Amino acid sequence: MPAVTADTLTLPRVFVAPGAQPRSVKMITNAPQAYEGEGFPVRRAFAGVDIAQLDPFIHLDQMGEVEYAPGEPKGTPWHPHRGFETVTYIIDGIFDHFDNNGGGGTITDGDTQWMTAGAGILHIETPPESLVMSGGLFHGFQLWVNLPAAKKWSPPAYQDLRASEVALLASEDGGALIRVIAGELAGHKGPGSTQTPITLIHATLQPGAEIRLPWRKDYNALVYTISGHGFVGDESRPVEMGQLTVFGDGDSIVVRAANNQETRSPNLELFILGGQPIKEPVAWMGPFVMNTKREVLQAF
Ligand code: MN
């Protein structure tokens, strides 16, 4: 688990205001395994959750975690997107990305690529030749963020967010590392610039550590358990690897790591996201996310 690591004791601590209302747990779902692109294994983190609960997000794949043998690493062929943004965060391994708008590059260990497809783009996402030859560990996320109707036809754009730019914070107890990739948490801004208000976080909780994060009331709140065992909400509902928690209303998120973790995953790893719902009709088919079926058919 390289991503970005740091000594949490030296970092700014995140507190919630006295009287903050912890969000209750609305539902906990299990992410089924599937295959994407040329056949790399993913977990569909949002499977079984109504799109209205996910808004402004559309889709989330945990890519891997997989240990490839030499010759095995796979990517996706050239393909189009329109009407939303793809956000690719790499925890372990290397991914190359190229698009027909001149965007692209290599991301590894804590880097993020933020591609705004807007009116339309063609891109390819693939492991570099050296990784195909050597094999190795591969683990990351791809998130799809919807665009409001007013921005679906905007020109494509590309942000290359380096691991070193991620805002690093600690929980009040000092036992959790909180990486703000995009948006803001407790006044600390991540490097990713977003088209609508959202916050994107990767947190690592040591056994027994607890996070209490201030969370905007007008945001939804989703916490995906990457690995480890923990408890969500003040009601302490148990969660483990591959489960998504959808929180209800309130102005803070509470998660605690179990005291005992497995040797292979010594910490509780979380992907935490929320945003202001766009509240527009969603017509999603394959690589296109528009407002009407007519617009999707036109994209094809
Ligand atoms: Mn794609």
Side-chain angles (χ1 to χ4, degrees):
M1 172 73 59
V4 179
T5 55
D7 178 1
T8 51
L9 299 180
T10 65
L11 298 173
R13 307 279 171 105
V14 175
F15 299 86
V16 296
Q21 176 68 41
R23 289 172 178 250
S24 59
V25 175
K26 199 185 267 182
M27 64 194 291
I28 296 171
T29 56
N30 293 294
Q33 288 193 293
Y35 291 90
E36 188 54 70
E38 294 163 342
F40 61 89
V42 296
R43 281 179 195 262
R44 308 283 194 207
F46 288 169
V49 182
D50 191 89
I51 202 117
Q53 305 282 333
L54 304 172
D55 190 6
F57 308 109
I58 297 282
H59 180 71
L60 178 64
D61 272 346
Q62 180 184 8
M63 306 185 292
E65 173 175 32
V66 58
E67 182 85 41
Y68 283 123
E72 255 189 354
K74 296 176 176 69
T76 68
W78 283 92
H79 60 277
H81 290 298
R82 174 182 284 172
F84 67 103
E85 303 182 288
T86 65
V87 179
T88 309
Y89 174 58
I90 298 296
I91 297 174
D92 291 287
I94 310 173
F95 225 33
D96 282 344
H97 175 262
F98 304 100
D99 67 50
N100 69 338
N101 189 46
T106 296
I107 51 170
T108 184
D109 300 355
D111 297 333
T112 300
Q113 294 174 331
W114 198 295
M115 186 186 79
T116 307
I121 202 163
L122 285 165
H123 78 155
I124 184 169
E125 302 149 285
T126 185
E129 188 60 29
S130 58
L131 182 68
V132 175
M133 299 291 282
S134 65
L137 189 59
F138 181 75
H139 190 199
F141 281 88
Q142 186 165 93
L143 171 70
W144 291 15
V145 184
N146 202 5
L147 289 170
K151 291 186 171 177
K152 283 192 184 293
W153 295 93
S154 56
Y158 189 83
Q159 298 175 64
D160 190 14
L161 311 175
R162 291 291 135 187
S164 58
E165 302 170 317
V166 167
L168 300 178
L169 307 168
S171 54
E172 188 171 0
D173 63 14
L177 173 63
I178 300 161
R179 307 167 187 84
V180 184
I181 299 164
E184 185 207 332
L185 182 73
H188 301 271
K189 278 200 171 77
S193 119
T194 69
Q195 299 289 325
T196 59
I198 71 172
T199 292
L200 199 61
I201 288 168
H202 171 199
T204 302
L205 285 67
Q206 294 166 21
E210 182 182 77
I211 52 170
R212 286 184 178 266
L213 308 181
W215 209 252
R216 275 172 57 163
K217 263 188 190 326
D218 60 337
Y219 278 18
N220 63 349
L222 307 164
V223 175
Y224 179 76
T225 308
I226 303 171
S227 61
H229 295 270
F231 303 94
V232 289
D234 258 355
E235 60 266 59
S236 290
R237 295 266 303 272
V239 290
E240 60 179 18
M241 179 171 74
Q243 291 189 314
L244 178 79
T245 303
V246 180
F247 284 92
D249 294 339
D251 54 17
S252 61
I253 295 177
V254 180
V255 183
R256 181 164 53 87
N259 291 328
N260 295 309
Q261 302 285 340
E262 294 173 41
T263 313
R264 60 176 177 154
S265 53
N267 297 309
L268 177 66
E269 299 283 341
L270 304 172
F271 199 63
I272 303 172
L273 60 168
Q276 200 176 58
I278 293 170
K279 293 182 176 167
E280 289 176 354
V282 175
W284 169 23
M285 214 182 295
F288 307 123
V289 183
M290 304 302 288
N291 297 111
T292 67
K293 194 175 171 190
R294 186 191 166 87
E295 289 171 330
V296 171
L297 292 174
Q298 182 196 2
F300 273 104

mmCIF file with all atom_site columns, all heavy atoms in Angstrom, residues 18-37:
data_model
loop_
_atom_site.group_PDB
_atom_site.id
_atom_site.type_symbol
_atom_site.label_atom_id
_atom_site.label_alt_id
_atom_site.label_comp_id
_atom_site.label_asym_id
_atom_site.label_entity_id
_atom_site.label_seq_id
_atom_site.pdbx_PDB_ins_code
_atom_site.Cartn_x
_atom_site.Cartn_y
_atom_site.Cartn_z
_atom_site.occupancy
_atom_site.B_iso_or_equiv
_atom_site.pdbx_formal_charge
_atom_site.auth_seq_id
_atom_site.auth_comp_id
_atom_site.auth_asym_id
_atom_site.auth_atom_id
_atom_site.pdbx_PDB_model_num
ATOM 1   N N   . PRO A 1 18 ? -18.611 21.014  18.183  1.00 0.00 ? 18 PRO A N   1
ATOM 2   C CA  . PRO A 1 18 ? -19.429 20.425  19.249  1.00 0.00 ? 18 PRO A CA  1
ATOM 3   C C   . PRO A 1 18 ? -20.896 20.433  18.809  1.00 0.00 ? 18 PRO A C   1
ATOM 4   O O   . PRO A 1 18 ? -21.346 21.405  18.209  1.00 0.00 ? 18 PRO A O   1
ATOM 5   C CB  . PRO A 1 18 ? -19.226 21.383  20.423  1.00 0.00 ? 18 PRO A CB  1
ATOM 6   C CG  . PRO A 1 18 ? -18.052 22.232  20.080  1.00 0.00 ? 18 PRO A CG  1
ATOM 7   C CD  . PRO A 1 18 ? -17.910 22.222  18.593  1.00 0.00 ? 18 PRO A CD  1
ATOM 8   N N   . GLY A 1 19 ? -21.600 19.347  19.064  1.00 0.00 ? 19 GLY A N   1
ATOM 9   C CA  . GLY A 1 19 ? -23.007 19.274  18.678  1.00 0.00 ? 19 GLY A CA  1
ATOM 10  C C   . GLY A 1 19 ? -23.230 18.857  17.234  1.00 0.00 ? 19 GLY A C   1
ATOM 11  O O   . GLY A 1 19 ? -24.367 18.836  16.759  1.00 0.00 ? 19 GLY A O   1
ATOM 12  N N   . ALA A 1 20 ? -22.145 18.545  16.501  1.00 0.00 ? 20 ALA A N   1
ATOM 13  C CA  . ALA A 1 20 ? -22.298 18.084  15.121  1.00 0.00 ? 20 ALA A CA  1
ATOM 14  C C   . ALA A 1 20 ? -23.154 16.823  15.106  1.00 0.00 ? 20 ALA A C   1
ATOM 15  O O   . ALA A 1 20 ? -23.043 15.972  15.993  1.00 0.00 ? 20 ALA A O   1
ATOM 16  C CB  . ALA A 1 20 ? -20.932 17.799  14.502  1.00 0.00 ? 20 ALA A CB  1
ATOM 17  N N   . GLN A 1 21 ? -24.023 16.735  14.102  1.00 0.00 ? 21 GLN A N   1
ATOM 18  C CA  . GLN A 1 21 ? -24.966 15.623  14.022  1.00 0.00 ? 21 GLN A CA  1
ATOM 19  C C   . GLN A 1 21 ? -24.357 14.505  13.165  1.00 0.00 ? 21 GLN A C   1
ATOM 20  O O   . GLN A 1 21 ? -24.213 14.667  11.955  1.00 0.00 ? 21 GLN A O   1
ATOM 21  C CB  . GLN A 1 21 ? -26.270 16.139  13.388  1.00 0.00 ? 21 GLN A CB  1
ATOM 22  C CG  . GLN A 1 21 ? -27.331 15.097  13.141  1.00 0.00 ? 21 GLN A CG  1
ATOM 23  C CD  . GLN A 1 21 ? -27.897 14.556  14.440  1.00 0.00 ? 21 GLN A CD  1
ATOM 24  O OE1 . GLN A 1 21 ? -28.130 15.293  15.385  1.00 0.00 ? 21 GLN A OE1 1
ATOM 25  N NE2 . GLN A 1 21 ? -28.094 13.247  14.474  1.00 0.00 ? 21 GLN A NE2 1
ATOM 26  N N   . PRO A 1 22 ? -23.965 13.368  13.784  1.00 0.00 ? 22 PRO A N   1
ATOM 27  C CA  . PRO A 1 22 ? -23.394 12.283  12.964  1.00 0.00 ? 22 PRO A CA  1
ATOM 28  C C   . PRO A 1 22 ? -24.458 11.718  12.023  1.00 0.00 ? 22 PRO A C   1
ATOM 29  O O   . PRO A 1 22 ? -25.617 11.552  12.411  1.00 0.00 ? 22 PRO A O   1
ATOM 30  C CB  . PRO A 1 22 ? -22.996 11.224  14.000  1.00 0.00 ? 22 PRO A CB  1
ATOM 31  C CG  . PRO A 1 22 ? -23.093 11.873  15.330  1.00 0.00 ? 22 PRO A CG  1
ATOM 32  C CD  . PRO A 1 22 ? -24.071 12.997  15.190  1.00 0.00 ? 22 PRO A CD  1
ATOM 33  N N   . ARG A 1 23 ? -24.072 11.465  10.807  1.00 0.00 ? 23 ARG A N   1
ATOM 34  C CA  . ARG A 1 23 ? -25.009 10.866  9.842   1.00 0.00 ? 23 ARG A CA  1
ATOM 35  C C   . ARG A 1 23 ? -25.259 9.412   10.215  1.00 0.00 ? 23 ARG A C   1
ATOM 36  O O   . ARG A 1 23 ? -24.316 8.675   10.545  1.00 0.00 ? 23 ARG A O   1
ATOM 37  C CB  . ARG A 1 23 ? -24.421 10.952  8.437   1.00 0.00 ? 23 ARG A CB  1
ATOM 38  C CG  . ARG A 1 23 ? -24.392 12.377  7.887   1.00 0.00 ? 23 ARG A CG  1
ATOM 39  C CD  . ARG A 1 23 ? -23.625 12.409  6.584   1.00 0.00 ? 23 ARG A CD  1
ATOM 40  N NE  . ARG A 1 23 ? -23.615 13.740  5.987   1.00 0.00 ? 23 ARG A NE  1
ATOM 41  C CZ  . ARG A 1 23 ? -24.289 14.070  4.865   1.00 0.00 ? 23 ARG A CZ  1
ATOM 42  N NH1 . ARG A 1 23 ? -25.014 13.169  4.224   1.00 0.00 ? 23 ARG A NH1 1
ATOM 43  N NH2 . ARG A 1 23 ? -24.216 15.291  4.387   1.00 0.00 ? 23 ARG A NH2 1
ATOM 44  N N   . SER A 1 24 ? -26.515 9.003   10.137  1.00 0.00 ? 24 SER A N   1
ATOM 45  C CA  . SER A 1 24 ? -26.839 7.605   10.414  1.00 0.00 ? 24 SER A CA  1
ATOM 46  C C   . SER A 1 24 ? -26.572 6.773   9.162   1.00 0.00 ? 24 SER A C   1
ATOM 47  O O   . SER A 1 24 ? -26.435 7.301   8.062   1.00 0.00 ? 24 SER A O   1
ATOM 48  C CB  . SER A 1 24 ? -28.299 7.476   10.827  1.00 0.00 ? 24 SER A CB  1
ATOM 49  O OG  . SER A 1 24 ? -29.107 7.973   9.792   1.00 0.00 ? 24 SER A OG  1
ATOM 50  N N   . VAL A 1 25 ? -26.484 5.464   9.340   1.00 0.00 ? 25 VAL A N   1
ATOM 51  C CA  . VAL A 1 25 ? -26.218 4.561   8.220   1.00 0.00 ? 25 VAL A CA  1
ATOM 52  C C   . VAL A 1 25 ? -27.541 4.251   7.523   1.00 0.00 ? 25 VAL A C   1
ATOM 53  O O   . VAL A 1 25 ? -28.466 3.729   8.150   1.00 0.00 ? 25 VAL A O   1
ATOM 54  C CB  . VAL A 1 25 ? -25.561 3.263   8.715   1.00 0.00 ? 25 VAL A CB  1
ATOM 55  C CG1 . VAL A 1 25 ? -25.400 2.264   7.574   1.00 0.00 ? 25 VAL A CG1 1
ATOM 56  C CG2 . VAL A 1 25 ? -24.218 3.573   9.360   1.00 0.00 ? 25 VAL A CG2 1
ATOM 57  N N   . LYS A 1 26 ? -27.624 4.573   6.233   1.00 0.00 ? 26 LYS A N   1
ATOM 58  C CA  . LYS A 1 26 ? -28.854 4.322   5.477   1.00 0.00 ? 26 LYS A CA  1
ATOM 59  C C   . LYS A 1 26 ? -28.833 2.909   4.909   1.00 0.00 ? 26 LYS A C   1
ATOM 60  O O   . LYS A 1 26 ? -29.805 2.174   4.993   1.00 0.00 ? 26 LYS A O   1
ATOM 61  C CB  . LYS A 1 26 ? -28.954 5.350   4.352   1.00 0.00 ? 26 LYS A CB  1
ATOM 62  C CG  . LYS A 1 26 ? -30.351 5.518   3.790   1.00 0.00 ? 26 LYS A CG  1
ATOM 63  C CD  . LYS A 1 26 ? -30.340 6.471   2.600   1.00 0.00 ? 26 LYS A CD  1
ATOM 64  C CE  . LYS A 1 26 ? -30.620 7.909   3.013   1.00 0.00 ? 26 LYS A CE  1
ATOM 65  N NZ  . LYS A 1 26 ? -30.653 8.802   1.833   1.00 0.00 ? 26 LYS A NZ  1
ATOM 66  N N   . MET A 1 27 ? -27.704 2.508   4.309   1.00 0.00 ? 27 MET A N   1
ATOM 67  C CA  . MET A 1 27 ? -27.585 1.147   3.797   1.00 0.00 ? 27 MET A CA  1
ATOM 68  C C   . MET A 1 27 ? -26.128 0.747   3.633   1.00 0.00 ? 27 MET A C   1
ATOM 69  O O   . MET A 1 27 ? -25.257 1.608   3.501   1.00 0.00 ? 27 MET A O   1
ATOM 70  C CB  . MET A 1 27 ? -28.339 0.984   2.462   1.00 0.00 ? 27 MET A CB  1
ATOM 71  C CG  . MET A 1 27 ? -27.797 1.824   1.319   1.00 0.00 ? 27 MET A CG  1
ATOM 72  S SD  . MET A 1 27 ? -28.933 1.915   -0.107  1.00 0.00 ? 27 MET A SD  1
ATOM 73  C CE  . MET A 1 27 ? -28.875 0.267   -0.735  1.00 0.00 ? 27 MET A CE  1
ATOM 74  N N   . ILE A 1 28 ? -25.889 -0.572  3.687   1.00 0.00 ? 28 ILE A N   1
ATOM 75  C CA  . ILE A 1 28 ? -24.549 -1.122  3.432   1.00 0.00 ? 28 ILE A CA  1
ATOM 76  C C   . ILE A 1 28 ? -24.710 -2.171  2.339   1.00 0.00 ? 28 ILE A C   1
ATOM 77  O O   . ILE A 1 28 ? -25.544 -3.073  2.462   1.00 0.00 ? 28 ILE A O   1
ATOM 78  C CB  . ILE A 1 28 ? -23.954 -1.754  4.704   1.00 0.00 ? 28 ILE A CB  1
ATOM 79  C CG1 . ILE A 1 28 ? -23.751 -0.682  5.786   1.00 0.00 ? 28 ILE A CG1 1
ATOM 80  C CG2 . ILE A 1 28 ? -22.624 -2.454  4.396   1.00 0.00 ? 28 ILE A CG2 1
ATOM 81  C CD1 . ILE A 1 28 ? -23.376 -1.232  7.151   1.00 0.00 ? 28 ILE A CD1 1
ATOM 82  N N   . THR A 1 29 ? -23.934 -2.020  1.247   1.00 0.00 ? 29 THR A N   1
ATOM 83  C CA  . THR A 1 29 ? -24.064 -2.950  0.120   1.00 0.00 ? 29 THR A CA  1
ATOM 84  C C   . THR A 1 29 ? -22.732 -3.649  -0.147  1.00 0.00 ? 29 THR A C   1
ATOM 85  O O   . THR A 1 29 ? -21.681 -3.177  0.286   1.00 0.00 ? 29 THR A O   1
ATOM 86  C CB  . THR A 1 29 ? -24.500 -2.210  -1.158  1.00 0.00 ? 29 THR A CB  1
ATOM 87  O OG1 . THR A 1 29 ? -23.567 -1.156  -1.417  1.00 0.00 ? 29 THR A OG1 1
ATOM 88  C CG2 . THR A 1 29 ? -25.898 -1.610  -1.002  1.00 0.00 ? 29 THR A CG2 1
ATOM 89  N N   . ASN A 1 30 ? -22.801 -4.781  -0.849  1.00 0.00 ? 30 ASN A N   1
ATOM 90  C CA  . ASN A 1 30 ? -21.606 -5.544  -1.210  1.00 0.00 ? 30 ASN A CA  1
ATOM 91  C C   . ASN A 1 30 ? -21.273 -5.334  -2.682  1.00 0.00 ? 30 ASN A C   1
ATOM 92  O O   . ASN A 1 30 ? -22.159 -5.435  -3.534  1.00 0.00 ? 30 ASN A O   1
ATOM 93  C CB  . ASN A 1 30 ? -21.836 -7.036  -0.966  1.00 0.00 ? 30 ASN A CB  1
ATOM 94  C CG  . ASN A 1 30 ? -21.975 -7.327  0.507   1.00 0.00 ? 30 ASN A CG  1
ATOM 95  O OD1 . ASN A 1 30 ? -21.042 -7.167  1.276   1.00 0.00 ? 30 ASN A OD1 1
ATOM 96  N ND2 . ASN A 1 30 ? -23.186 -7.707  0.908   1.00 0.00 ? 30 ASN A ND2 1
ATOM 97  N N   . ALA A 1 31 ? -19.994 -5.059  -2.978  1.00 0.00 ? 31 ALA A N   1
ATOM 98  C CA  . ALA A 1 31 ? -19.568 -4.821  -4.360  1.00 0.00 ? 31 ALA A CA  1
ATOM 99  C C   . ALA A 1 31 ? -19.249 -6.144  -5.046  1.00 0.00 ? 31 ALA A C   1
ATOM 100 O O   . ALA A 1 31 ? -18.317 -6.833  -4.631  1.00 0.00 ? 31 ALA A O   1
ATOM 101 C CB  . ALA A 1 31 ? -18.346 -3.915  -4.376  1.00 0.00 ? 31 ALA A CB  1
ATOM 102 N N   . PRO A 1 32 ? -20.014 -6.507  -6.106  1.00 0.00 ? 32 PRO A N   1
ATOM 103 C CA  . PRO A 1 32 ? -19.708 -7.754  -6.813  1.00 0.00 ? 32 PRO A CA  1
ATOM 104 C C   . PRO A 1 32 ? -18.457 -7.607  -7.673  1.00 0.00 ? 32 PRO A C   1
ATOM 105 O O   . PRO A 1 32 ? -18.114 -6.508  -8.097  1.00 0.00 ? 32 PRO A O   1
ATOM 106 C CB  . PRO A 1 32 ? -20.944 -7.958  -7.694  1.00 0.00 ? 32 PRO A CB  1
ATOM 107 C CG  . PRO A 1 32 ? -21.519 -6.602  -7.868  1.00 0.00 ? 32 PRO A CG  1
ATOM 108 C CD  . PRO A 1 32 ? -21.162 -5.800  -6.653  1.00 0.00 ? 32 PRO A CD  1
ATOM 109 N N   . GLN A 1 33 ? -17.776 -8.739  -7.933  1.00 0.00 ? 33 GLN A N   1
ATOM 110 C CA  . GLN A 1 33 ? -16.593 -8.721  -8.784  1.00 0.00 ? 33 GLN A CA  1
ATOM 111 C C   . GLN A 1 33 ? -16.990 -8.875  -10.239 1.00 0.00 ? 33 GLN A C   1
ATOM 112 O O   . GLN A 1 33 ? -17.984 -9.526  -10.565 1.00 0.00 ? 33 GLN A O   1
ATOM 113 C CB  . GLN A 1 33 ? -15.638 -9.831  -8.365  1.00 0.00 ? 33 GLN A CB  1
ATOM 114 C CG  . GLN A 1 33 ? -14.985 -9.485  -7.026  1.00 0.00 ? 33 GLN A CG  1
ATOM 115 C CD  . GLN A 1 33 ? -13.804 -10.367 -6.701  1.00 0.00 ? 33 GLN A CD  1
ATOM 116 O OE1 . GLN A 1 33 ? -13.980 -11.552 -6.466  1.00 0.00 ? 33 GLN A OE1 1
ATOM 117 N NE2 . GLN A 1 33 ? -12.625 -9.788  -6.687  1.00 0.00 ? 33 GLN A NE2 1
ATOM 118 N N   . ALA A 1 34 ? -16.232 -8.230  -11.117 1.00 0.00 ? 34 ALA A N   1
ATOM 119 C CA  . ALA A 1 34 ? -16.509 -8.280  -12.555 1.00 0.00 ? 34 ALA A CA  1
ATOM 120 C C   . ALA A 1 34 ? -15.191 -8.051  -13.289 1.00 0.00 ? 34 ALA A C   1
ATOM 121 O O   . ALA A 1 34 ? -14.137 -7.946  -12.654 1.00 0.00 ? 34 ALA A O   1
ATOM 122 C CB  . ALA A 1 34 ? -17.528 -7.208  -12.928 1.00 0.00 ? 34 ALA A CB  1
ATOM 123 N N   . TYR A 1 35 ? -15.255 -7.989  -14.615 1.00 0.00 ? 35 TYR A N   1
ATOM 124 C CA  . TYR A 1 35 ? -14.059 -7.718  -15.420 1.00 0.00 ? 35 TYR A CA  1
ATOM 125 C C   . TYR A 1 35 ? -14.314 -6.527  -16.328 1.00 0.00 ? 35 TYR A C   1
ATOM 126 O O   . TYR A 1 35 ? -15.403 -6.347  -16.848 1.00 0.00 ? 35 TYR A O   1
ATOM 127 C CB  . TYR A 1 35 ? -13.655 -8.953  -16.231 1.00 0.00 ? 35 TYR A CB  1
ATOM 128 C CG  . TYR A 1 35 ? -13.148 -10.043 -15.324 1.00 0.00 ? 35 TYR A CG  1
ATOM 129 C CD1 . TYR A 1 35 ? -14.017 -10.984 -14.805 1.00 0.00 ? 35 TYR A CD1 1
ATOM 130 C CD2 . TYR A 1 35 ? -11.810 -10.077 -14.947 1.00 0.00 ? 35 TYR A CD2 1
ATOM 131 C CE1 . TYR A 1 35 ? -13.564 -11.953 -13.924 1.00 0.00 ? 35 TYR A CE1 1
ATOM 132 C CE2 . TYR A 1 35 ? -11.341 -11.043 -14.077 1.00 0.00 ? 35 TYR A CE2 1
ATOM 133 C CZ  . TYR A 1 35 ? -12.224 -11.982 -13.559 1.00 0.00 ? 35 TYR A CZ  1
ATOM 134 O OH  . TYR A 1 35 ? -11.775 -12.920 -12.692 1.00 0.00 ? 35 TYR A OH  1
ATOM 135 N N   . GLU A 1 36 ? -13.289 -5.697  -16.503 1.00 0.00 ? 36 GLU A N   1
ATOM 136 C CA  . GLU A 1 36 ? -13.411 -4.464  -17.282 1.00 0.00 ? 36 GLU A CA  1
ATOM 137 C C   . GLU A 1 36 ? -12.380 -4.499  -18.398 1.00 0.00 ? 36 GLU A C   1
ATOM 138 O O   . GLU A 1 36 ? -11.359 -5.189  -18.306 1.00 0.00 ? 36 GLU A O   1
ATOM 139 C CB  . GLU A 1 36 ? -13.174 -3.263  -16.344 1.00 0.00 ? 36 GLU A CB  1
ATOM 140 C CG  . GLU A 1 36 ? -13.441 -1.897  -16.925 1.00 0.00 ? 36 GLU A CG  1
ATOM 141 C CD  . GLU A 1 36 ? -14.829 -1.768  -17.510 1.00 0.00 ? 36 GLU A CD  1
ATOM 142 O OE1 . GLU A 1 36 ? -15.822 -1.746  -16.756 1.00 0.00 ? 36 GLU A OE1 1
ATOM 143 O OE2 . GLU A 1 36 ? -14.922 -1.708  -18.750 1.00 0.00 ? 36 GLU A OE2 1
ATOM 144 N N   . GLY A 1 37 ? -12.652 -3.733  -19.482 1.00 0.00 ? 37 GLY A N   1
ATOM 145 C CA  . GLY A 1 37 ? -11.687 -3.549  -20.564 1.00 0.00 ? 37 GLY A CA  1
ATOM 146 C C   . GLY A 1 37 ? -11.259 -4.875  -21.164 1.00 0.00 ? 37 GLY A C   1
ATOM 147 O O   . GLY A 1 37 ? -12.092 -5.705  -21.538 1.00 0.00 ? 37 GLY A O   1
#
